Amino acid sequence: MRFRILITNLKLAGELSMCAPNPLSARPSRSLFQLSTIAIAVATSLTTQEAARAQAERAVLEEVLVTASRREESLQDTSLIISALSSDDLQERGITNMVDLAFDVPSLQVGAAGPALQLYIRGVGTDAATGFSSPGIAVSKDSVYIPRVTAMGANFFDLQRVEVLQGPQGTLYGRNATGGAVNLITNGASLGETSGYIMGDLGNYSKGQFEGAINLPISDTFAARIAGFAIDRDGYMSDDTGDDSHWAGRVSTLWAPSDSISWRVQGQFAQYSGRGPGATWVGSGDAWESILSEGGNAVLAQGAMENNLIAPNIAFPWIQNAPVVGPAPTPPFPPGTNLISLVDPLTSELDQDLQLWDVSTTFEWDLDFADLTVIGAYQDVEQTYLTRTAVRFQIGQLFGRDEPETSETFSLEARLSGDTESLQWVAGVNIFEEDQSVYNAVNQGIAQNLQLFADINTEALGLFGQVTYRLSDRLRLIAGLRYSDETQEKDNFNRFSVDESIACPPQLTTGTENGLRYCRISGPESGQSISDDSWDWKAGVEYDLTEDSLVFFTASTGFKAGGLPAVSSDGYGPEELVALSLGMKNLLLDGRLQLNGDLFYWEYDDKQENLVGPDAQGIIGLDTVNAGESTIQGVAMDIKFAATGSDFLTLSFEYLDATYDDFSYFQGAALTPPTTCPVTPTGNNVPGPAGPTPELFVDCSGFDMTKSPELVARASYTHTFDLGSAGELDAHINMNFTDERWLSANFLEGQLVDSFTFWNAHLAYRSPNSKFSALAYIRNIGEEESFQVSLNHTQVPQLIGLVPGPPQTYGLQLRYAF
């Protein structure tokens, strides 16, 4: 390149000299002109090359270290399909919760249904909104699995790194890692240094956020770290739902009496309050217009009439406070008879109260021949909340009792790992137990006012091992195996219909509590259990084309045990996934260009889907069925380019084709929402709330899988301005595109939501010593509507609640490190 520029400049100088006069007396001047032009060209060329060389030296991508394989390694050296974000990435991109994370990782879809999070990776996940279901993506904090979806969001502070693994992680992660895993790695205590930071963030919607941490060296062998987080922000919705009001604190300690032994102990507490996530209704025309508006009530009333959910008040004389639709015709009804709606208008009594705490200990011992790691943890979740999307859903405090829903979890993992010249290996055992007291209530007006109790116990055992064998300096083989055994028991399962409800007339009243009449409509049911076991495996080959180019092929399986749903049922079966992946990882242009990608093909058997419908007793609830067979295939790319020392570009995308090959089930026709799937009467009758009702065969085969957009793309550009002794300034812009997708396996009209494109930008200043930084940001510049979760009214299918993503937000963040 240097010689090409020099030759070009010399040629230009010669051409310029030919334009000069030709008399002999002019020759000395012409010669001087040529020499000076050549000298300037050479000097310019050398200066340009030195500047380009200096920029190229600075333009090198930083190495990213991950521990997803239970050992530290470079992201570019592992065949795992993984996205990793450092603490700086999280700060600059404003990621303070799991929903934010999904806007940065193409394969990840996250929605919030009340405080509960619904995670999907490449079409695999579960609408886990209650304690009766478990997620299909395993989320862990410092290698401790978090079973409750309401406890996942409280850990996004003072993080060292977040890792998102795509594809089944059955060998090393075990239960509920069918579609992948999300690892949260916190900043632990460090020996020999006093350090920390404080950060404040002020933004629109009255946002006030604080985060800070301090590391204290107590002695040469002992250190402690204290971290805290608090946020208070008004809601995005017109009724102030979609707010965020929570705080959390964490204390971690490290004792390292020698170079070979370390012992970490960590404890954390978090408290959630406020109104919680809200929703809009399909057809409102405004993503952030609450479903609790008059418009939502109008849709509810219209839907009740279209579904014949009205009746004369003489039919239910025990109903005292029913909304009146209008006078009944006389005759045939007596004068003064009114038609009443079985569905009550929507109300605004929303709140949440969650208390989450956990303690864990990690013991590590270098035994020379291997490293021993023992991790024990206890987690406690107490939660009460009332949320309203299309249904009024309540957790805890049933019958007005001051009694939360609870979950207590104990887990223990012990593993040995070693690394020789030709072999890397890890083997271990994992024990897990969870005890839950589940209290749920669904109130959809007079037609249904249901409260249920249950005690759920889950026990799981895992034995695992994985090896990587080096056949040569370039070729490696991977093999892994895990045995899983899991049992779930459901005891004390009771369902009550509560005053006022058509299902609870005085003659059927079972009792009264806190002024509420109730009727036991099923239960008590005890001693029900379901057990599953599985052998999961992984096999793969890695080959280094060059020192900076890796190609690989892996095959692996994932397993999620069956369970017992929130209805009278024999339970649902386990789901299994077999995944094939052909991928590459490259560092090109002297470390300036990262080019990673993979082709994947997954076969999914018996995917667990949550559906609203009647159970074997005709009682409408949230059932879980197995969706037969599904096929998931596609391609993903992740590109990072340091064009110069000041210009950085990224592009990542995922094309996904996820289809239910076989998804059919039987359902009673009474008060059930009509799907867009083909529906055929079977000629049989099944129990219904008012007697036998026709049975339907619903066939959704061929539909796209839920939460599976065909195309997701992320692109960004950052330019760094060197301010000399004053520091640096980053100007950043990014784009996030997500294609249309189904939000629910009920496949109701309105649950197929449109694509959206987010544009975000920020200016980030860093002082010369990087101790002080400031970030001015704006997100969703175009105020694009996006939707993450859909729930529907069980009696009025026209009423569909959609939980929207954030509107346009902006603010200023200040951070000081010491």
Coordinates of all heavy atoms in Angstrom, one line a residue, residues 342-414:
L342 N -72.1 -11.2 32.6 CA -71.3 -12.1 33.4 C -69.9 -11.7 33.6 O -69.2 -12.3 34.4 CB -71.4 -13.5 32.9 CG -72.8 -14.1 32.6 CD1 -72.7 -15.5 32.2 CD2 -73.7 -14.0 33.9
V343 N -69.5 -10.7 32.9 CA -68.1 -10.2 32.9 C -68.1 -8.8 33.5 O -68.7 -7.9 33.0 CB -67.4 -10.3 31.5 CG1 -66.0 -9.9 31.6 CG2 -67.6 -11.7 30.9
D344 N -67.3 -8.7 34.6 CA -67.2 -7.3 35.2 C -66.3 -6.4 34.5 O -65.4 -6.8 33.8 CB -66.7 -7.5 36.7 CG -67.7 -8.1 37.6 OD1 -68.9 -8.0 37.3 OD2 -67.3 -8.7 38.6
P345 N -66.6 -5.1 34.6 CA -65.7 -4.1 34.0 C -64.3 -4.2 34.6 O -64.1 -4.7 35.8 CB -66.3 -2.7 34.4 CG -67.7 -3.1 34.6 CD -67.8 -4.4 35.2
L346 N -63.3 -3.8 33.9 CA -61.9 -3.9 34.4 C -61.7 -2.9 35.5 O -62.2 -1.8 35.5 CB -60.9 -3.6 33.2 CG -61.1 -4.6 32.1 CD1 -60.3 -4.1 30.9 CD2 -60.6 -6.0 32.5
T347 N -60.9 -3.3 36.5 CA -60.6 -2.5 37.6 C -59.1 -2.2 37.6 O -58.3 -2.7 36.9 CB -61.0 -3.2 38.9 OG1 -60.3 -4.4 39.0 CG2 -62.4 -3.4 39.0
S348 N -58.7 -1.2 38.5 CA -57.3 -0.8 38.5 C -56.5 -1.1 39.8 O -55.5 -0.4 40.0 CB -57.3 0.8 38.3 OG -58.0 1.4 39.3
E349 N -57.0 -2.0 40.6 CA -56.4 -2.3 41.9 C -55.2 -3.2 41.7 O -55.2 -4.4 41.9 CB -57.4 -3.0 42.8 CG -58.1 -4.1 42.1 CD -59.3 -4.6 42.8 OE1 -60.3 -3.9 42.7 OE2 -59.3 -5.7 43.4
L350 N -54.1 -2.6 41.2 CA -52.9 -3.3 40.9 C -51.7 -3.0 41.8 O -51.5 -1.8 42.2 CB -52.4 -3.1 39.5 CG -53.5 -3.3 38.4 CD1 -53.0 -2.9 37.0 CD2 -54.0 -4.7 38.4
D351 N -51.0 -4.0 42.3 CA -49.8 -3.8 43.1 C -49.0 -5.0 43.1 O -49.4 -6.1 42.7 CB -50.2 -3.4 44.5 CG -50.9 -4.5 45.3 OD1 -50.2 -5.4 45.8 OD2 -52.2 -4.5 45.2
Q352 N -47.7 -4.9 43.6 CA -46.9 -6.1 43.7 C -46.0 -5.9 44.9 O -45.6 -4.8 45.3 CB -46.0 -6.3 42.4 CG -45.1 -5.2 42.1 CD -44.3 -5.5 40.8 OE1 -44.5 -6.5 40.1 NE2 -43.3 -4.6 40.5
D353 N -45.6 -7.0 45.5 CA -44.8 -7.0 46.7 C -44.0 -8.3 46.7 O -44.5 -9.4 47.0 CB -45.6 -6.9 48.0 CG -44.7 -6.8 49.2 OD1 -43.5 -6.7 49.1 OD2 -45.2 -6.9 50.4
L354 N -42.7 -8.2 46.3 CA -41.9 -9.4 46.2 C -40.6 -9.2 47.1 O -40.0 -8.2 47.1 CB -41.4 -9.7 44.8 CG -42.4 -10.2 43.8 CD1 -43.3 -9.2 43.3 CD2 -41.6 -10.8 42.6
Q355 N -40.3 -10.2 47.9 CA -39.1 -10.3 48.7 C -38.3 -11.5 48.3 O -38.8 -12.6 48.4 CB -39.5 -10.3 50.2 CG -40.2 -9.0 50.6 CD -40.4 -9.0 52.1 OE1 -39.9 -9.8 52.9 NE2 -41.2 -8.0 52.6
L356 N -37.1 -11.3 47.9 CA -36.2 -12.3 47.4 C -34.9 -12.3 48.1 O -34.3 -11.2 48.2 CB -36.0 -12.2 45.9 CG -37.2 -11.6 45.0 CD1 -36.7 -11.2 43.7 CD2 -38.2 -12.7 44.9
W357 N -34.5 -13.4 48.7 CA -33.2 -13.4 49.2 C -32.5 -14.8 49.0 O -33.2 -15.8 48.8 CB -33.2 -13.0 50.7 CG -33.8 -14.0 51.7 CD1 -35.2 -14.0 52.0 CD2 -33.2 -15.0 52.4 NE1 -35.4 -15.0 52.9 CE2 -34.2 -15.7 53.2 CE3 -31.9 -15.5 52.5 CZ2 -34.0 -16.7 54.0 CZ3 -31.6 -16.6 53.4 CH2 -32.7 -17.2 54.1
D358 N -31.2 -14.8 49.0 CA -30.5 -16.0 48.8 C -29.1 -15.9 49.4 O -28.6 -14.8 49.7 CB -30.3 -16.3 47.3 CG -29.5 -15.2 46.5 OD1 -28.3 -15.2 46.7 OD2 -30.1 -14.5 45.8
V359 N -28.5 -17.0 49.7 CA -27.2 -17.1 50.2 C -26.5 -18.3 49.5 O -27.1 -19.3 49.3 CB -27.1 -17.3 51.7 CG1 -27.9 -18.6 52.2 CG2 -25.7 -17.3 52.3
S360 N -25.2 -18.1 49.1 CA -24.5 -19.2 48.4 C -23.1 -19.2 48.9 O -22.5 -18.2 49.4 CB -24.6 -19.0 46.9 OG -23.9 -17.8 46.5
T361 N -22.4 -20.4 48.7 CA -21.0 -20.5 49.1 C -20.3 -21.3 48.0 O -20.9 -22.3 47.5 CB -20.9 -21.2 50.5 OG1 -19.5 -21.4 50.8 CG2 -21.6 -22.6 50.5
T362 N -19.1 -20.9 47.7 CA -18.3 -21.6 46.7 C -17.0 -21.9 47.2 O -16.2 -20.9 47.6 CB -18.2 -20.7 45.4 OG1 -19.5 -20.4 44.9 CG2 -17.4 -21.4 44.3
F363 N -16.6 -23.1 47.3 CA -15.3 -23.6 47.8 C -14.5 -24.1 46.6 O -15.0 -25.0 45.9 CB -15.5 -24.6 48.9 CG -14.2 -25.2 49.4 CD1 -13.5 -24.5 50.3 CD2 -13.8 -26.4 49.0 CE1 -12.3 -25.0 50.8 CE2 -12.6 -26.9 49.5 CZ -11.8 -26.2 50.4
E364 N -13.3 -23.6 46.4 CA -12.4 -24.1 45.4 C -11.1 -24.5 45.9 O -10.5 -23.8 46.8 CB -12.2 -23.0 44.3 CG -13.5 -22.6 43.6 CD -13.3 -21.5 42.6 OE1 -12.8 -20.4 43.0 OE2 -13.6 -21.7 41.4
W365 N -10.6 -25.7 45.4 CA -9.3 -26.2 46.0 C -8.5 -26.8 44.8 O -9.0 -27.7 44.1 CB -9.7 -27.3 47.0 CG -8.5 -27.8 47.8 CD1 -7.2 -27.4 47.7 CD2 -8.5 -28.9 48.7 NE1 -6.4 -28.1 48.6 CE2 -7.1 -29.0 49.2 CE3 -9.4 -29.8 49.2 CZ2 -6.8 -30.0 50.1 CZ3 -9.1 -30.7 50.1 CH2 -7.8 -30.8 50.6
D366 N -7.3 -26.3 44.6 CA -6.4 -26.8 43.6 C -5.7 -28.1 44.2 O -4.9 -28.0 45.1 CB -5.4 -25.8 43.2 CG -4.5 -26.2 42.1 OD1 -4.5 -27.4 41.8 OD2 -3.7 -25.4 41.6
L367 N -6.1 -29.2 43.7 CA -5.5 -30.5 44.2 C -4.3 -31.0 43.4 O -3.9 -32.2 43.5 CB -6.6 -31.6 44.2 CG -7.8 -31.3 45.0 CD1 -8.9 -32.3 44.8 CD2 -7.5 -31.2 46.5
D368 N -3.7 -30.1 42.6 CA -2.6 -30.5 41.7 C -3.1 -31.3 40.5 O -3.0 -30.8 39.3 CB -1.5 -31.2 42.4 CG -0.8 -30.3 43.4 OD1 -0.8 -29.1 43.2 OD2 -0.2 -30.8 44.4
F369 N -3.7 -32.4 40.7 CA -4.1 -33.3 39.6 C -5.5 -32.8 39.0 O -5.9 -33.1 37.9 CB -4.3 -34.7 40.0 CG -5.5 -35.0 40.8 CD1 -6.6 -35.5 40.3 CD2 -5.5 -34.8 42.2 CE1 -7.7 -35.8 41.0 CE2 -6.6 -35.1 43.0 CZ -7.7 -35.6 42.4
A370 N -6.2 -32.0 39.9 CA -7.5 -31.5 39.5 C -7.9 -30.4 40.3 O -7.3 -30.1 41.4 CB -8.6 -32.6 39.5
D371 N -9.0 -29.6 39.9 CA -9.6 -28.6 40.7 C -10.9 -29.0 41.2 O -11.8 -29.5 40.5 CB -9.7 -27.3 39.9 CG -8.4 -26.7 39.4 OD1 -7.5 -26.8 40.2 OD2 -8.3 -26.1 38.3
L372 N -11.1 -28.9 42.5 CA -12.4 -29.2 43.2 C -13.2 -28.0 43.4 O -12.7 -27.0 44.0 CB -12.1 -29.9 44.5 CG -13.4 -30.2 45.4 CD1 -14.3 -31.2 44.7 CD2 -13.0 -30.7 46.8
T373 N -14.5 -28.0 43.0 CA -15.4 -26.9 43.2 C -16.7 -27.4 43.8 O -17.3 -28.3 43.3 CB -15.7 -26.2 41.9 OG1 -14.5 -25.7 41.2 CG2 -16.6 -25.0 42.1
V374 N -17.1 -26.8 44.9 CA -18.3 -27.2 45.6 C -19.1 -25.9 45.8 O -18.6 -24.9 46.4 CB -18.0 -27.8 47.0 CG1 -19.3 -28.2 47.6 CG2 -17.1 -29.1 46.8
I375 N -20.4 -25.9 45.3 CA -21.3 -24.8 45.3 C -22.6 -25.2 46.0 O -23.3 -26.1 45.5 CB -21.5 -24.2 43.9 CG1 -20.2 -23.9 43.2 CG2 -22.4 -23.0 44.0 CD1 -20.4 -23.5 41.7
G376 N -22.9 -24.5 47.1 CA -24.1 -24.8 47.8 C -24.9 -23.5 47.9 O -24.4 -22.4 48.0
A377 N -26.3 -23.6 47.8 CA -27.1 -22.3 47.8 C -28.5 -22.6 48.4 O -29.0 -23.7 48.3 CB -27.2 -21.8 46.4
Y378 N -29.0 -21.6 49.0 CA -30.4 -21.6 49.5 C -31.1 -20.3 48.9 O -30.5 -19.2 49.0 CB -30.4 -21.6 51.0 CG -31.8 -21.4 51.5 CD1 -32.7 -22.5 51.6 CD2 -32.3 -20.2 52.0 CE1 -34.0 -22.4 52.1 CE2 -33.6 -20.0 52.5 CZ -34.4 -21.1 52.5 OH -35.7 -21.0 53.0
Q379 N -32.3 -20.4 48.4 CA -33.0 -19.3 47.8 C -34.4 -19.3 48.4 O -35.0 -20.3 48.6 CB -33.1 -19.4 46.3 CG -31.8 -19.5 45.6 CD -31.9 -19.7 44.1 OE1 -32.5 -18.9 43.4 NE2 -31.4 -20.9 43.7
D380 N -34.9 -18.1 48.7 CA -36.2 -17.9 49.3 C -37.0 -16.8 48.5 O -36.4 -15.7 48.4 CB -36.1 -17.6 50.8 CG -37.5 -17.5 51.4 OD1 -38.1 -16.4 51.3 OD2 -37.9 -18.5 52.0
V381 N -38.2 -17.1 48.0 CA -39.0 -16.1 47.3 C -40.3 -16.1 48.0 O -41.0 -17.1 48.2 CB -39.2 -16.6 45.8 CG1 -40.1 -15.6 45.1 CG2 -37.8 -16.7 45.1
E382 N -40.7 -14.9 48.4 CA -42.1 -14.6 48.9 C -42.7 -13.5 48.0 O -42.1 -12.4 47.9 CB -42.0 -14.1 50.3 CG -41.5 -15.2 51.3 CD -41.5 -14.8 52.7 OE1 -42.0 -13.6 53.0 OE2 -41.1 -15.5 53.6
Q383 N -43.9 -13.8 47.5 CA -44.4 -12.9 46.5 C -45.9 -12.8 46.6 O -46.6 -13.8 46.8 CB -44.0 -13.3 45.1 CG -44.4 -14.7 44.7 CD -43.9 -15.1 43.3 OE1 -43.5 -14.2 42.5 NE2 -43.8 -16.4 43.1
T384 N -46.4 -11.5 46.5 CA -47.8 -11.3 46.3 C -47.9 -10.2 45.3 O -47.2 -9.2 45.3 CB -48.5 -10.8 47.6 OG1 -47.9 -9.5 48.0 CG2 -48.3 -11.8 48.7
Y385 N -48.8 -10.4 44.3 CA -49.0 -9.3 43.4 C -50.4 -9.5 42.7 O -50.9 -10.6 42.6 CB -47.9 -9.2 42.3 CG -47.7 -10.4 41.4 CD1 -48.4 -10.6 40.3 CD2 -46.7 -11.3 41.7 CE1 -48.2 -11.6 39.4 CE2 -46.4 -12.4 40.9 CZ -47.2 -12.6 39.7 OH -46.9 -13.6 38.9
L386 N -50.9 -8.4 42.1 CA -52.1 -8.5 41.4 C -51.9 -7.7 40.1 O -51.4 -6.6 40.1 CB -53.2 -7.7 42.2 CG -54.6 -7.6 41.4 CD1 -55.2 -8.9 41.1 CD2 -55.5 -6.7 42.3
T387 N -52.1 -8.4 39.0 CA -51.8 -7.8 37.7 C -53.0 -8.0 36.8 O -53.9 -8.9 37.0 CB -50.6 -8.4 37.0 OG1 -50.3 -7.8 35.8 CG2 -50.8 -9.9 36.7
R388 N -53.2 -7.1 35.8 CA -54.3 -7.1 34.9 C -53.9 -6.9 33.5 O -53.4 -5.9 33.2 CB -55.3 -6.1 35.3 CG -56.4 -5.8 34.3 CD -57.5 -6.9 34.3 NE -58.5 -6.7 35.2 CZ -59.6 -7.4 35.3 NH1 -59.8 -8.4 34.4 NH2 -60.6 -7.1 36.2
T389 N -53.9 -7.9 32.7 CA -53.7 -7.8 31.3 C -55.1 -8.0 30.6 O -55.9 -7.0 30.5 CB -52.7 -8.7 30.7 OG1 -53.0 -10.0 31.2 CG2 -51.3 -8.4 31.2
A390 N -55.4 -9.2 30.2 CA -56.8 -9.5 29.8 C -57.5 -10.2 30.9 O -58.7 -10.3 30.9 CB -56.8 -10.3 28.5
V391 N -56.8 -10.6 31.9 CA -57.4 -11.3 33.1 C -56.8 -10.6 34.3 O -55.8 -10.0 34.3 CB -57.0 -12.8 33.1 CG1 -57.5 -13.5 31.9 CG2 -55.5 -13.0 33.2
R392 N -57.6 -10.7 35.4 CA -57.2 -10.3 36.7 C -56.5 -11.4 37.4 O -57.2 -12.4 37.8 CB -58.4 -9.8 37.5 CG -58.1 -9.2 38.8 CD -59.4 -8.8 39.5 NE -59.1 -8.1 40.8 CZ -59.0 -8.8 42.0 NH1 -59.0 -10.1 42.0 NH2 -58.8 -8.1 43.1
F393 N -55.2 -11.4 37.5 CA -54.5 -12.5 38.0 C -53.8 -12.1 39.3 O -53.1 -11.1 39.3 CB -53.4 -13.0 36.9 CG -52.6 -14.2 37.4 CD1 -53.2 -15.4 37.5 CD2 -51.3 -14.0 37.7 CE1 -52.5 -16.5 37.9 CE2 -50.5 -15.1 38.1 CZ -51.1 -16.4 38.2
Q394 N -53.9 -13.0 40.3 CA -53.4 -12.7 41.6 C -52.5 -13.8 42.1 O -52.8 -15.0 41.9 CB -54.5 -12.4 42.6 CG -54.1 -12.0 44.0 CD -55.3 -11.7 44.9 OE1 -56.4 -11.4 44.4 NE2 -55.1 -11.8 46.2
I395 N -51.4 -13.4 42.8 CA -50.5 -14.4 43.4 C -50.5 -14.0 44.9 O -50.3 -12.9 45.3 CB -49.1 -14.3 42.9 CG1 -49.0 -14.8 41.5 CG2 -48.1 -15.1 43.8 CD1 -49.2 -16.3 41.3
G396 N -50.8 -15.0 45.8 CA -50.8 -14.8 47.2 C -52.0 -14.0 47.7 O -52.9 -13.5 46.9
Q397 N -52.1 -13.9 49.0 CA -53.2 -13.2 49.7 C -54.6 -13.6 49.3 O -55.5 -12.8 49.1 CB -53.0 -11.7 49.5 CG -51.8 -11.1 50.2 CD -51.7 -9.6 50.1 OE1 -52.1 -9.0 49.1 NE2 -51.0 -9.0 51.0
L398 N -54.8 -14.9 49.1 CA -56.1 -15.4 48.7 C -57.1 -15.3 49.9 O -56.7 -15.4 51.1 CB -56.0 -16.8 48.3 CG -55.1 -17.1 47.1 CD1 -55.3 -18.5 46.5 CD2 -55.3 -16.1 46.0
F399 N -58.3 -15.0 49.6 CA -59.4 -14.8 50.6 C -59.0 -13.6 51.5 O -59.4 -13.6 52.7 CB -59.6 -16.0 51.5 CG -60.2 -17.2 50.7 CD1 -59.5 -18.3 50.5 CD2 -61.5 -17.1 50.1 CE1 -60.0 -19.4 49.8 CE2 -62.0 -18.1 49.4 CZ -61.3 -19.3 49.2
G400 N -58.1 -12.7 51.0 CA -57.8 -11.6 51.8 C -56.7 -11.8 52.9 O -56.4 -11.0 53.7
R401 N -56.2 -13.1 53.0 CA -55.2 -13.4 54.0 C -53.9 -12.6 53.6 O -53.5 -12.4 52.5 CB -54.9 -14.9 54.0 CG -56.1 -15.8 54.2 CD -55.6 -17.2 54.0 NE -56.7 -18.2 54.1 CZ -56.6 -19.4 53.7 NH1 -55.5 -19.9 53.2 NH2 -57.7 -20.2 53.9
D402 N -53.2 -12.3 54.7 CA -51.8 -11.7 54.5 C -50.8 -12.8 54.4 O -50.0 -13.0 55.2 CB -51.5 -10.8 55.7 CG -50.2 -10.0 55.4 OD1 -49.8 -10.0 54.3 OD2 -49.7 -9.5 56.4
E403 N -50.9 -13.6 53.3 CA -50.1 -14.8 53.1 C -49.5 -14.8 51.7 O -50.3 -14.9 50.8 CB -50.9 -16.0 53.4 CG -50.1 -17.3 53.6 CD -51.0 -18.5 54.1 OE1 -52.2 -18.2 54.3 OE2 -50.5 -19.6 54.2
P404 N -48.2 -14.7 51.6 CA -47.7 -14.7 50.2 C -47.5 -16.1 49.7 O -47.5 -17.1 50.4 CB -46.3 -14.1 50.4 CG -45.9 -14.5 51.8 CD -47.2 -14.6 52.6
E405 N -47.3 -16.2 48.4 CA -46.8 -17.5 47.7 C -45.3 -17.6 48.0 O -44.6 -16.6 48.0 CB -47.1 -17.4 46.2 CG -46.7 -18.7 45.5 CD -47.1 -18.6 44.0 OE1 -48.3 -18.8 43.8 OE2 -46.2 -18.5 43.2
T406 N -44.9 -18.8 48.3 CA -43.5 -19.0 48.7 C -42.8 -20.1 47.9 O -43.4 -21.0 47.3 CB -43.4 -19.4 50.2 OG1 -44.0 -20.6 50.4 CG2 -44.0 -18.3 51.0
S407 N -41.5 -19.9 47.8 CA -40.6 -20.9 47.1 C -39.3 -21.0 47.9 O -38.7 -20.0 48.2 CB -40.3 -20.6 45.7 OG -39.3 -21.4 45.2
E408 N -39.0 -22.2 48.4 CA -37.7 -22.4 49.1 C -36.9 -23.4 48.3 O -37.4 -24.5 48.0 CB -37.9 -22.9 50.5 CG -38.6 -21.9 51.4 CD -38.7 -22.4 52.8 OE1 -39.7 -23.1 53.0 OE2 -37.9 -22.1 53.6
T409 N -35.7 -23.1 48.0 CA -34.8 -23.9 47.1 C -33.5 -24.2 47.7 O -32.8 -23.3 48.3 CB -34.6 -23.3 45.7 OG1 -35.9 -23.0 45.1 CG2 -33.8 -24.2 44.8
F410 N -33.1 -25.4 47.7 CA -31.7 -25.8 48.1 C -31.1 -26.5 46.9 O -31.7 -27.4 46.3 CB -31.8 -26.8 49.3 CG -30.4 -27.4 49.6 CD1 -29.5 -26.7 50.3 CD2 -30.2 -28.7 49.2 CE1 -28.2 -27.3 50.5 CE2 -29.0 -29.3 49.5 CZ -28.0 -28.6 50.1
S411 N -29.8 -26.2 46.7 CA -29.1 -26.8 45.6 C -27.6 -27.0 46.0 O -27.0 -26.2 46.8 CB -29.1 -26.0 44.3 OG -28.5 -24.7 44.5
L412 N -27.0 -28.1 45.5 CA -25.6 -28.4 45.8 C -25.0 -29.0 44.6 O -25.6 -29.9 44.0 CB -25.5 -29.4 47.0 CG -24.1 -29.9 47.4 CD1 -23.3 -28.7 47.9 CD2 -24.2 -31.0 48.4
E413 N -23.8 -28.5 44.2 CA -23.1 -29.1 43.1 C -21.6 -29.2 43.5 O -21.0 -28.3 44.0 CB -23.2 -28.2 41.8 CG -22.4 -28.7 40.6 CD -22.8 -28.1 39.3 OE1 -24.0 -28.1 38.9 OE2 -21.9 -27.5 38.6
A414 N -21.1 -30.4 43.1 CA -19.7 -30.7 43.4 C -19.1 -31.2 42.1 O -19.7 -32.1 41.4 CB -19.5 -31.7 44.5

